[in-house]
Amino acid sequence: MGTLSAPNPLVNLSRCEAVFSRNPIPTKLYSANEEYLLEILQESDLISPAQIDEARGQRQPKEVLVDALVRLGHVKEVDAARVFSVNAGLEFVDITHFTPSEEILALMSVDDAKRYRVVPVGFDQSRLQVAVSDPFDFETLDSLNHVLSYDVDAVCASPEQVNDAISRWYGESLAGADGEDTMVIVSESAGGDGERGVQMEASDAPIIKLVGQILRESFKAGASDIHIEPLEKSVRVRYRIDGMLVEVGNHPRNLLSAMVARIKIMTGAMSIAEKRMPQDARIQLRIGDKDVDLRVSTIPTNHGESVVMRILDKTALKLGLPELGFLSDDQATFERLITLPDGILMVTGPTGSGKTTTLYACLNYINKPDRKIITVEDPVEYQMSGINQVMVKEDVGMTFAAALRSILRQAPNIIMIGEIRDLETASIAINASLTGHLVFSTLHTNDAPSAVARLADIGVKRFLIASAVRAIIAQRLVRKLCGECKQPGVLNEMQIRGLGLDAAQLADSSVMAPVGCVRCRTTGHKGRAGIFEVFEIDDEVRHMINENLSTPNLRRQARELGMRTMREDGIRKVLNGMTSADEVLHVTMADAD
């Protein structure tokens, strides 16, 4: 890695500064400030009036005079860039033999580097230093502050050095359309194997490039959702990263209709004329060598249509149980439960708590050639090899219950039901479990014992619940501490009291604290893991269910039988340095124990 060079002392910087003191900094680009730039070059003794006249006579169509002077050999581009940077009040740096770290490069995409003709050269806490090719382009610097979510400090390098740096550092040619040729829409009608067309060609409209950039950048950032929201005077774009919404850009209000129309066209199933009713569809993309599904939802608001796109990365499907966040003892229990020959295993929690990911990890673990697995989902979020997946289509009568009645005649060993919503679905699932099938499903409850009351509320007899359900797993997601920057930490008195810790627990702990670095976007957290509450239904619990114990009493008895609450599981992960105390306290705020 090289080092950044200081300005060339041979350039007459004192005369440049004299010019700057007499002329206010222009706010337009080079092409709109030729006379100002020429005056700077003359005052710095880099060119003569005769050379300017020659350049005027020989410049090519649409060529900037400064470029003509460089082409004719009257001034070196690097010398011109030095004096321009001084007049703009920026430091000049030589990046010819400099290469930043991969962490710094990751803070700016090749798309942004090409679009704004800038490159990242340094990072200090929350401030990103960039080298710009045009020191007078203050609009670019303002845009970067919004696009990158960092405070941007600018230095200046010559345009040739910036272009060369983009090519060397990112391995990208400046020809083409910002790397967009790597994104392909996959046609659903082709069964996921055909390509409807390569997007984002060099000649494509700017709105197509903008939408493509939003999609690619969200994927690279590890976002789970993209939110395009109309405000009164702008269009706000936010990504949900590790469960937290991060604003990544604001665009002119007049771009909203075109952005929404472009997204609807990409789905191939939405009407661009319908703006008064909600619409839902999906887009299948191939970004680089990865297949990505987007679940698209639009809804009319008082300022226009709001769009939310949920990103489903198919390569993230093959998760093992350790990646879910299970510690060794809970993992052993879970592995035993998901290999039972029959019964129902339920995963509970609110929307966004990772229930579907857990179910897919279970199926991935037990997917063997000697087992037939069928799923009923609304919709099918991930396509898994070796598993028969059925999508619910209520508009044609293909409900959960209808699908379940049919798939039982397919002689499956294992059934996964996306969600138990009504008595009919629950009854078929229970009957299937009682006739030798292993059934996985989800339910929306706040904790594991509450699932019993929820099933009873929709009409399931308690003796059937006691007989069919083998275990209920409640879960939440907490942000993990960044492995690159976390450091040993100490819990404060409020955190200790909130978690109910004692001196003995703290004595053997490895508590870590978030710091923040380039890799985690200065948040101190990177990725998420689950905290779990595993409620096994044994003979004693079955007796309690049959006795119609209330949920608080059932929970109390389950605790006495060894059930660990989500907060207690979270505490263990705080003490071993996986997550922070604040994360666990926030996520388990409703835990009364």
Side-chain angles (χ1 to χ4, degrees), residues 299-548:
I299 189 170
T301 71
N302 58 335
H303 293 303
E305 287 186 280
S306 174
V307 181
V308 174
M309 292 179 279
R310 184 176 182 188
I311 303 171
L312 303 173
D313 178 9
K314 294 181 179 180
T315 61
L317 174 59
K318 298 178 180 178
L319 292 175
L321 298 181
E323 285 77 19
L324 294 179
F326 283 107
L327 297 180
S328 57
D329 53 348
D330 280 342
Q331 182 177 333
T333 301
F334 203 64
E335 289 176 353
R336 173 174 55 81
L337 290 172
I338 65 178
T339 53
L340 292 172
D342 55 32
I344 297 179
L345 271 69
M346 305 198 71
V347 181
T348 75
T351 300
S353 60
K355 301 186 299 296
T356 302
T357 301
T358 297
L359 287 182
Y360 276 114
C362 294
L363 295 183
N364 190 51
Y365 182 83
I366 60 179
N367 186 12
K368 308 294 181 185
D370 61 342
R371 297 170 182 166
K372 181 163 185 175
I373 303 175
I374 301 181
T375 73
V376 183
E377 306 171 61
D378 182 20
V380 174
E381 293 192 357
Y382 297 102
Q383 295 179 3
M384 299 187 70
S385 176
I387 293 178
N388 301 279
Q389 296 173 270
V390 178
M391 186 166 70
V392 169
K393 296 180 180 179
E394 294 190 357
D395 56 337
V396 297
M398 188 65 160
T399 62
F400 274 107
L404 284 171
R405 284 193 297 269
S406 298
I407 68 174
L408 287 176
R409 293 192 286 271
Q410 296 284 315
N413 302 103
I414 299 164
I415 301 169
M416 193 268 273
I417 306 170
E419 182 184 349
I420 291 180
R421 300 177 178 176
D422 51 47
L423 177 59
E424 189 177 10
T425 303
S427 299
I428 296 173
I430 287 175
N431 289 334
S433 71
L434 295 175
T435 55
H437 301 85
L438 180 61
V439 179
F440 295 93
S441 189
T442 70
L443 202 63
H444 288 279
T445 63
N446 290 327
D447 59 13
S450 296
V452 174
R454 173 65 180 144
L455 289 172
D457 286 343
I458 63 176
V460 181
K461 303 295 184 183
R462 281 186 170 264
F463 75 90
L464 289 176
I465 300 173
S467 301
V469 180
R470 296 287 181 266
I472 304 168
I473 298 96
Q475 69 177 69
R476 298 288 189 278
L477 294 177
V478 294
R479 292 184 298 167
K480 296 190 293 185
L481 294 173
C482 175
E484 294 293 324
C485 65
K486 65 179 181 181
Q487 295 180 358
V490 178
L491 300 180
N492 59 44
E493 184 178 347
M494 184 176 296
Q495 292 170 331
I496 293 172
R497 186 168 60 252
L499 295 175
L501 298 173
D502 56 37
Q505 290 173 297
L506 292 171
D508 298 327
S509 68
S510 302
V511 174
M512 306 295 284
V515 177
C517 66
V518 171
R519 181 173 179 268
C520 64
R521 301 172 63 91
T522 73
T523 64
H525 297 87
K526 181 73 172 177
R528 290 191 291 176
I531 55 174
F532 303 93
E533 185 173 272
V534 182
F535 180 29
E536 285 195 74
I537 311 297
D538 59 12
D539 289 340
E540 189 166 353
V541 174
R542 290 191 185 93
H543 176 72
M544 292 188 293
I545 294 173
N546 283 322
E547 289 295 317
N548 198 18

